[in-house]
Amino acid sequence: KLPDAPQKGGKRGNGNRPSRQPPPKADKLKVKTNARPPLDTRPSLFAPHPANTPPRTPTDDEAEIPLQDGLFVNEDGVRLHVSDDEGSTCGPTDKESPLWGSRVNQPKSRASSPPPPSLLDHSRTLQKAKELGRQGVVQPRQQRSDSHDRVFANANWRIVTSDQGNGGLRNAADAAARDGFDEEYTWVGTLGMPTDALEGTQQKEDIHDRLSTEYNMLTVFCSDKDFDGHYSHFCKQILWPVFHYQIPDNPKSKAYEDHSWQFYVNLNQAFADKIIKNWKRGDTIWVHDYHLLLVPGMVRQKLPDAKIGLFLHVAFPSSEVFRCLAVRKELLEGMLGANLVGFQIPEYTRHFLQTCSRLLKNVEATPQGVQLDDRFVNVMSNPIGIDPVSLNLHRQEHEVKRWIDVMKDRYKDKKLIVARDKLDHVRGVRQKLLAYELFLNKNPQWRDKVVLIQVALSTSEKTDLDAAVGDIVTRVNSSWANLAYQPVVYLKQDIPYSQYLALLTIADALMITSQREGMNLTSHEFLLCQDGKMDDKRHGSLILSEFTGTSSLFGGNELSVNPWSYRQCSEAIGKALEMSDEEKDTRWRKLYQAVENHTGGHWFTEYLTLLDRFYDEQHHHAQTSVPRLNLQKLDLAYGRSQRRLFFLDLEGTLIPNNPMSSMIPMNPQRTLSVLNDLVEDPRNMIYVMSARRPQELDRLFRLVPNLGLVAESGCFVKNAGTAQWTEMADRANIATWKESVKSILQYYLERTPGAEIEERHCSLVFHYKDAEDFAMAERQASDWTGHINESCEEQRVHATQLENSVVVESIDWTKHTAAQAIYKEHSVNAPYADKAAPLDFLMVIGDGREDEKVFRWANELGQKKAVQQVITVSLGNRNTEANATLTQGVSGVLVTLQKLASHA
Ligand SMILES: O=P(O)(O)OC[C@H]1O[C@H](O[C@H]2O[C@H](CO)[C@@H](O)[C@H](O)[C@H]2O)[C@H](O)[C@@H](O)[C@@H]1O
C-alpha cells in the first residue's frame, strides 16, 4: 500500500505545473504490512523500566509526588501497513486521529472491522512482500534471489490515502486550496515503507512516475537502513523525547553518541538532493518538522538564493534541554539554512532564539530572528489549527450519527470523560488514570455515575507502561465496578473515525494530560464537536495539560492542569462534572472562538505570505542583488558635490583585522597617507569608526590632525580639528549595568584560569584566548553570554561572543547612533552647520554587522532625498544592506579613497 501523500517537505511550485488531479481509483499494490523495521528488534538504548510493580494509588498526601516512570519510550516506528478500505482524501488532524476507517499498526476490533476480502485474496503475495521488506535490510541486493524480485514485479498495487505523516498539515493544505490559495505545490516525501526490495524493479519506476505525474508528488527513495535508523532511532529515541523534555540520563545510555545520527544525516540528504534536483527559480521550499531539520542547511549550500521555510510542529525545548544533544550545533545550523523558521507558539520561538544565542558563536538573536555573519533568518510563531469545514462534513456521515445513538443509549445515565492518546510516556495516560482513580476514591458520590473511556494507541516501543496502565485500569475497575457499571473503559486498539467523532460529540469532558505537546488538535476537534449541532449534549469541559501548545491559545478558559499533580487533575475532573451549564457555555464560547480564529487554512496561507515577505526583505539586500561599486559614477558624484561626509570603519576596512586583545600595529603608512590626502580637501569631513578606546585611536591617528573619530562603537565622538572627546553615552546608566554584569563576569573569571576582564568606558570584554582550558572556557562563555542576554535585557545590554572573547556593551549607543548625531550637527539644517553649502555627499564603508545599521540609516537619508548622493559600501561576500560592494578588501578601499583624494 502506498500513501498518497508522502509527508515531509512540501515544495510550492512556480505556477507552471498542471493542476493536481483527484486520486484515481487505480491498480492495486497490496503489501502485507506488519513488517517491523529491522532495527526495531534491537534492544532499547535506554534502561528498562523499573520492576513491573503496579503503580500505587496516589493519596492526597503524596498526590504531588510523581511516580518514577523510567526514562522514555519510542513512538511507533512502523510505517508500512495494510489498508482495508479504499482510503479517503480527507485525513485526521493529528496522526493519532483515526482516518475514516483505515488504521495503522493498531489492533483492530474484530467486532467492527473484519478484513476485507480483497486483502485475503492476496495474502500469499502480501506475506512474501513482508518478508522481502525485512530481508531487504539485512541482505544485500545482489544476494536476493530473482524470485524475490518477481514477487514485487508481479504484485498489483494501488495508491490510497495514508494515515501516516502529519494530518494537520495535509488538512491545512487542502483547506487553503479550497479557500482560494491557488498556487501549485508538489509534495516531497518517502513512501513510508521499506523499499530495498523494490530496488531494480520496474515497480519502483512506475510508483515514482505515477506519484509524480498524477499527484505532483516526488518520492524520496533511501535504503531501509537509513529509513529505519532515521525514524525509529534518531527521531524517535533521541529528538522526539528531547524535544518533549525527556532526557535519557541513564549513565549507560549511548543515545547521545548514537550511531543513528548518520542515518538522520543520510535521509535528510536524500530529501535535500531530491529538492535541489527539482527546484526551479521562483519555487518556494517548505520543510516540515523535526524529522528534516538538516534539509534547509543542505539545500542552502547548493541553492544560496532559494526561498526556504521550516516549520516545527512539535515543541522546541528550553536551551538547557536542547544543549544536551551531542549534535546540537549541527541541528541548529541546519535549521538556520531557512529564511524563516516557524514555531507553534511564542514560547518555542523564544527557546530557539535563546538556544542559538547560547550555543552558536558569532550570531545575534533578536526578537525578529537570528543575525548570522552573512544572512538574517527570521523567526515567527503561528499556531496550526483544524479545518472546521471538512470536519463538519464528516460529522454528517450516517455512521457518526449511528454511533452517537449507540453510545447515548449505552451510557444514558452516565457522565462521560473521553480520551484518545498514543500510549507513550509523553502523552501522560498513566497520570490521567491515576488522577481518575484518586477522584473516585475521594468522591464516592460519583462512583457509578461517571465513566472514563480511554482509547490507547499502541507504539512500537516495548515498555512496562502498557502493563502499568493495564494494572491501574484493573484496579480501578475491580474497586468500583459492579455487574452493571464499569468505571474505566480501556480500549487498547484504535477506533474508526466515525466512532471517534461520535465519542467527542457525546462526551461531557475531554481529558488531555500530555507531559509536553507541540499543539494538540484533538482538543480543537472536541470543541467543534461540542457545538450542539449533532446532539443535545454540548459545551462539555476541556481538561487540558498546561504543557500543550494549544493551552497557550485558550486563555485559561479550559480547565488547565499540571499532569504531574494528581490532586489538581482529580479536582479538575470534579469541576468539569459539576460545572454549571452557564459556566460551561461561557467557557466553550471563548474556547471555540480561539479554534475558529486559528484554522489550518489560515495558518497555511499566513506562513507562506510571511515567508514571501521576509524573503523579499532579506533578498533585497542580498549580495547577489548588490552591485559592485561603480568607480566612474562615484568619481562623478564626488566631483560634483560641495560638502561631503565620510564614515569609515577601521578594522577590516582601513586596516586589517586584529584580535580585540592585541594592540593595533602602529603607523599603517598607506592608510594614514590616504586619510591625510582626503582631509586636505576642505569639502571633506572624514570620521573613522572603531570599537577601540579613545586613547588607542588618538595614538594611531596622531598624524592625521583633521580626522574625526568615533570610539568604543559609538560611545565617544571627537570632531575633526578638535582635541576633545565627547561622551555620547549616559555614564550613570553604564555604571549601573556594569556593576551587575561585572559580578557575573567575576564569577566566571574565578573559574576560568588564564582569562581576564578588560574594562572599557562603555563595555566589558572577557578575554579567554589564554585560558588554561580553552575548550571549557569557550563552552562556558557561550553559556553565560546567553545568561547575560536574558537577565540584562531590561538594562539594554547585549553580550556577543567573538573568536576568543565576549564583549558586553550597551545597545543604545552604537556606531549608528554616533553617525546620526554627527550628521545632525553637520547637516544643512543643523544650528551649528556651515550653511555655505548643503551636505550633498554621504559615504559609508564597512565590513561588519554593526556597519549594516549605519548603511540602513544612510540609505534612508538617500531615499528621503535628505542627501543627494548616498554611497554605502560593504566589503567581502556578506549579505548586506549597502548599495554597493567592494571585494578587494582593505587594499580595494584604499585604492578607491586614493582615487577620490586625487580627483582633479
Ligand atoms: O510520529 P511522528 O511521525 O514522528 O510525528 C510526530 C507527530 O507529528 C504530528 O503532531 C505534531 O504536529 C501536530 C500539528 O501541527 C501537533 O498538534 C502535535 O502536537 C505535534 O506533535 C502528528 O499529528 C502526530 O501524530 C505525530 O506524533
Side-chain angles (χ1 to χ4, degrees):
K1 167 186 180 291
L2 296 175
D4 79 346
Q7 304 91 24
K8 319 292 182 197
K11 166 176 169 295
R12 238 178 353 140
N14 56 7
N16 297 329
R17 299 203 180 85
S19 331
R20 193 151 76 117
Q21 301 297 316
K25 300 231 186 302
D27 310 326
K28 300 189 173 188
L29 170 70
K30 305 253 171 140
V31 182
K32 179 85 173 190
T33 65
N34 53 349
R36 299 179 59 77
L39 292 182
D40 267 0
T41 55
R42 295 182 194 178
S44 165
L45 292 168
F46 306 105
H49 290 285
N52 260 345
T53 44
R56 284 175 306 151
T57 307
T59 64
D60 229 3
D61 295 340
E62 61 176 5
E64 302 289 344
I65 304 171
L67 292 165
Q68 278 301 312
D69 256 359
L71 298 172
F72 61 82
V73 297
N74 282 349
E75 294 234 319
D76 67 306
V78 184
R79 290 180 164 223
L80 183 59
H81 59 277
V82 174
S83 163
D84 58 3
D85 64 1
E86 286 302 301
S88 150
T89 49
C90 294
T93 305
D94 272 339
K95 187 165 63 178
E96 284 85 1
S97 299
L99 242 203
W100 203 244
S102 166
R103 304 273 31 87
V104 191
N105 304 322
Q106 301 299 332
K108 288 174 205 288
S109 160
R110 292 192 183 179
S112 62
S113 37
S118 57
L119 185 64
L120 300 172
D121 288 345
H122 297 276
S123 57
R124 209 189 59 80
T125 313
L126 292 170
Q127 181 56 38
K128 193 70 191 171
K130 171 179 131 188
E131 286 164 23
L132 284 175
R134 280 195 190 126
Q135 289 169 6
V137 177
V138 289
Q139 195 176 340
R141 159 91 183 89
Q142 59 273 26
Q143 289 173 17
R144 289 205 310 264
S145 75
D146 285 352
S147 67
H148 284 165
D149 290 345
R150 278 200 300 274
V151 171
F152 270 109
N154 299 323
N156 291 321
W157 56 278
R158 64 187 168 120
I159 295 172
V160 297
T161 299
S162 166
D163 47 3
Q164 295 169 303
N166 190 328
L169 166 65
R170 203 164 51 202
N171 289 348
D174 289 345
R178 186 197 59 228
D179 296 346
F181 180 84
D182 60 359
E183 289 196 50
E184 291 296 325
Y185 52 84
T186 301
W187 292 94
V188 182
T190 59
L191 292 187
M193 57 180 256
T195 52
D196 277 3
L198 285 178
E199 212 41 62
T201 63
Q202 186 56 39
Q203 302 280 29
K204 187 177 167 190
E205 302 299 314
D206 293 348
I207 291 165
H208 179 276
D209 291 351
R210 270 197 56 200
L211 282 169
S212 156
T213 51
E214 293 176 22
Y215 295 87
N216 258 355
M217 292 179 176
L218 295 175
T219 314
V220 175
F221 285 104
C222 60
S223 71
D224 292 353
K225 201 168 159 192
D226 284 346
F227 181 82
D228 187 57
H230 162 270
Y231 186 72
S232 310
H233 284 252
F234 197 75
C235 285
K236 284 301 172 186
Q237 297 204 35
I238 296 183
L239 283 186
W240 171 265
V242 171
F243 276 38
H244 295 87
Y245 288 76
Q246 309 225 329
I247 307 167
D249 55 359
N250 170 12
K252 288 189 190 152
S253 163
K254 290 267 184 296
Y256 285 67
E257 305 297 341
D258 191 53
H259 62 283
S260 60
W261 165 244
Q262 192 50 49
F263 301 128
Y264 187 79
V265 174
N266 294 349
L267 189 118
N268 274 256
Q269 192 64 60
F271 267 82
D273 292 346
K274 183 60 91 178
I275 294 167
I276 292 163
K277 197 166 161 212
N278 289 279
W279 180 82
K280 304 249 174 350
R281 194 156 286 284
D283 282 357
T284 295
I285 300 159
W286 192 4
V287 182
H288 286 273
D289 225 357
Y290 71 99
H291 317 79
L292 297 176
L293 297 181
L294 303 181
V295 170
M298 288 168 164
V299 175
R300 176 71 60 211
Q301 271 187 359
K302 289 277 162 31
L303 305 174
D305 295 340
K307 189 190 295 179
I308 308 174
L310 169 69
F311 189 84
L312 194 70
H313 288 258
V314 299
F316 192 91
S318 132
S319 59
E320 271 309 303
V321 174
F322 191 90
R323 68 195 278 247
C324 300
L325 288 163
V327 287
R328 58 199 185 178
K329 201 163 153 275
E330 289 83 343
L331 291 169
L332 291 177
E333 285 170 355
M335 295 174 79
L336 289 169
N339 297 92
L340 172 63
V341 184
F343 299 88
Q344 303 271 21
I345 60 171
E347 180 187 309
Y348 309 154
T349 312
R350 209 176 47 245
H351 286 163
F352 176 71
L353 290 172
Q354 281 168 354
T355 305
C356 288
S357 131
R358 283 186 75 181
L359 301 183
L360 299 178
K361 277 200 278 177
N362 280 325
V363 305
E364 190 183 338
T366 71
Q368 287 71 42
V370 182
Q371 177 68 59
L372 307 175
D373 244 357
D374 55 352
R375 296 169 43 234
F376 189 79
V377 180
N378 283 87
V379 294
M380 54 109 74
S381 46
N382 182 19
I384 195 173
I386 58 166
D387 177 19
V389 176
S390 81
L391 193 59
N392 271 325
L393 281 176
H394 280 311
R395 288 203 296 159
Q396 308 299 327
E397 296 279 340
H398 168 73
E399 213 31 25
V400 179
K401 291 180 185 157
R402 189 173 77 77
W403 273 101
I404 290 177
D405 292 342
V406 170
M407 302 279 288
K408 278 184 75 174
D409 184 51
R410 171 71 182 78
Y411 297 105
K412 55 177 168 293
D413 51 354
K414 303 284 182 278
K415 293 278 185 187
L416 283 187
I417 302 171
V418 305
R420 182 174 170 281
D421 307 272
K422 213 174 237 185
L423 192 54
D424 68 20
H425 285 82
V426 170
R427 300 290 191 222
V429 174
R430 185 163 92 158
Q431 282 79 359
K432 183 177 348 188
L433 285 161
L434 288 171
Y436 181 64
E437 183 183 30
L438 183 63
F439 171 76
L440 288 180
N441 290 354
K442 285 177 66 187
N443 294 279
Q445 75 281 13
W446 276 105
R447 293 175 205 153
D448 204 20
K449 294 192 179 60
V450 60
V451 175
L452 169 65
I453 301 184
Q454 173 71 60
V455 179
L457 313 186
S458 57
T459 70
S460 58
E461 175 77 358
K462 288 183 184 50
T463 72
D464 67 344
L465 184 63
D466 199 355
V469 166
D471 282 339
I472 308 170
V473 171
T474 309
R475 188 171 63 210
V476 177
N477 279 341
S478 43
S479 300
W480 308 117
N482 58 41
L483 278 178
Y485 169 63
Q486 190 182 331
V488 184
V489 174
Y490 179 62
L491 292 179
K492 221 190 143 277
Q493 63 180 47
D494 201 5
I495 51 174
Y497 197 44
S498 50
Q499 291 181 31
Y500 170 70
L501 293 182
L503 195 64
L504 294 183
T505 308
I506 51 104
D508 293 279
L510 172 76
M511 188 164 183
I512 307 278
T513 47
S514 303
Q515 295 176 349
R516 292 278 163 180
E517 200 174 341
M519 206 60 210
N520 188 272
L521 297 178
T522 304
S523 46
H524 297 225
E525 289 168 339
F526 168 71
L527 290 164
L528 187 139
C529 289
Q530 287 283 320
D531 62 3
K533 290 188 183 152
M534 299 297 295
D535 185 63
D536 48 3
K537 256 200 181 170
R538 56 180 198 159
H539 303 179
S541 300
L542 173 62
I543 302 171
L544 180 63
S545 161
E546 67 185 68
F547 297 104
T548 57
T550 298
S551 83
S552 74
L553 299 183
F554 284 170
N557 293 301
E558 79 283 25
L559 293 172
S560 170
V561 291
N562 171 356
W564 282 276
S565 168
Y566 301 119
R567 188 195 308 139
Q568 197 196 23
C569 290
S570 131
E571 284 167 7
I573 295 174
K575 181 144 194 208
L577 298 177
E578 286 160 14
M579 194 185 284
S580 71
D581 285 349
E582 200 186 356
E583 184 176 349
K584 276 200 221 161
D585 289 354
T586 315
R587 283 175 181 265
W588 181 87
R589 267 172 225 297
K590 290 184 182 153
L591 291 168
Y592 187 62
Q593 203 171 24
V595 172
E596 273 188 317
N597 289 344
H598 294 98
T599 62
H602 178 258
W603 165 82
F604 190 92
T605 40
E606 173 90 352
Y607 183 92
L608 290 176
T609 308
L610 282 172
L611 175 56
D612 284 347
R613 199 184 97 199
F614 290 134
Y615 178 82
D616 287 346
E617 274 175 26
Q618 293 165 17
H619 226 64
H620 179 65
H621 310 297
Q623 178 68 25
T624 46
S625 62
V626 180
R628 274 169 207 278
L629 181 64
N630 184 323
L631 292 177
Q632 271 178 334
K633 277 193 186 163
L634 175 68
D635 203 48
L636 210 62
Y638 184 85
R640 284 184 185 152
S641 52
Q642 292 306 304
R643 286 185 73 236
R644 313 178 189 112
L645 180 57
F646 288 78
F647 290 112
L648 307 174
D649 167 58
L650 178 61
E651 282 165 278
T653 303
L654 290 174
I655 58 171
N657 268 316
N658 298 283
M660 279 286 263
S661 51
S662 58
M663 301 274 287
I664 300 180
M666 291 304 285
N667 298 334
Q669 276 315 327
R670 196 158 161 232
T671 305
L672 298 180
S673 105
V674 169
L675 290 174
N676 258 323
D677 289 351
L678 271 178
V679 293
E680 246 178 40
D681 187 331
R683 288 169 291 186
N684 292 345
M685 289 166 287
I686 317 287
Y687 282 81
V688 172
M689 302 178 120
S690 168
R692 300 276 172 171
R693 287 190 266 192
Q695 303 88 304
E696 273 184 277
L697 298 186
D698 274 339
R699 213 171 40 237
L700 183 65
F701 292 112
R702 68 191 187 287
L703 301 176
V704 195
N706 278 328
L707 193 64
L709 295 172
V710 174
E712 291 204 24
S713 303
C715 285
F716 294 92
V717 169
K718 187 167 129 180
N719 281 321
T722 63
Q724 283 306 310
W725 284 92
T726 307
E727 191 167 346
M728 312 296 282
D730 174 351
R731 194 176 280 213
N733 169 291
I734 298 217
T736 319
W737 72 249
K738 265 189 178 175
E739 204 50 42
S740 49
V741 172
K742 250 195 244 169
S743 60
I744 303 178
L745 297 193
Q746 191 59 37
Y747 175 89
Y748 286 104
L749 186 70
E750 281 159 20
R751 286 156 183 78
T752 319
E756 55 180 339
I757 298 175
E758 182 194 348
E759 178 163 359
R760 302 183 172 191
H761 294 94
C762 297
S763 56
L764 292 168
V765 188
F766 187 95
H767 297 281
Y768 55 86
K769 179 169 83 69
D770 298 322
E772 282 171 19
D773 182 345
F774 181 81
M776 159 81 100
E778 190 176 44
R779 243 188 346 265
Q780 283 197 347
S782 77
D783 277 358
W784 58 256
T785 300
H787 174 51
I788 289 179
N789 285 336
E790 282 155 34
S791 55
C792 301
E793 212 177 334
E794 269 181 20
Q795 291 168 296
R796 308 200 39 84
V797 173
H798 190 79
T800 316
Q801 188 172 15
L802 305 174
E803 249 346 279
N804 307 311
S805 58
V806 177
V807 184
V808 189
E809 57 198 346
S810 218
I811 52 181
D812 287 329
W813 294 283
T814 61
K815 283 177 167 182
H816 162 222
T817 56
Q820 247 180 332
I822 293 165
Y823 166 78
K824 212 166 156 197
E825 201 155 319
H826 291 293
S827 70
V828 76
N829 296 321
Y832 312 109
D834 165 11
K835 295 199 179 165
L839 184 66
D840 53 1
F841 181 98
L842 173 61
M843 183 165 197
V844 185
I845 313 182
D847 72 325
R849 204 183 286 164
E850 279 301 311
D851 301 313
E852 291 295 325
K853 294 176 192 154
V854 192
F855 296 151
R856 194 181 312 143
W857 160 78
N859 289 343
E860 277 166 20
L861 287 180
Q863 281 150 18
K864 288 191 289 196
K865 305 261 185 279
V867 179
Q868 213 178 336
Q869 293 294 336
V870 173
I871 297 110
T872 48
V873 185
S874 166
L875 301 189
N877 292 320
R878 30 181 307 114
N879 189 347
T880 179
E881 301 211 15
N883 55 28
T885 58
L886 254 182
T887 44
Q888 304 92 327
V890 172
S891 93
V893 174
L894 296 180
V895 168
T896 308
L897 294 177
Q898 188 63 64
K899 273 197 186 139
L900 297 182
S902 50
H903 187 90

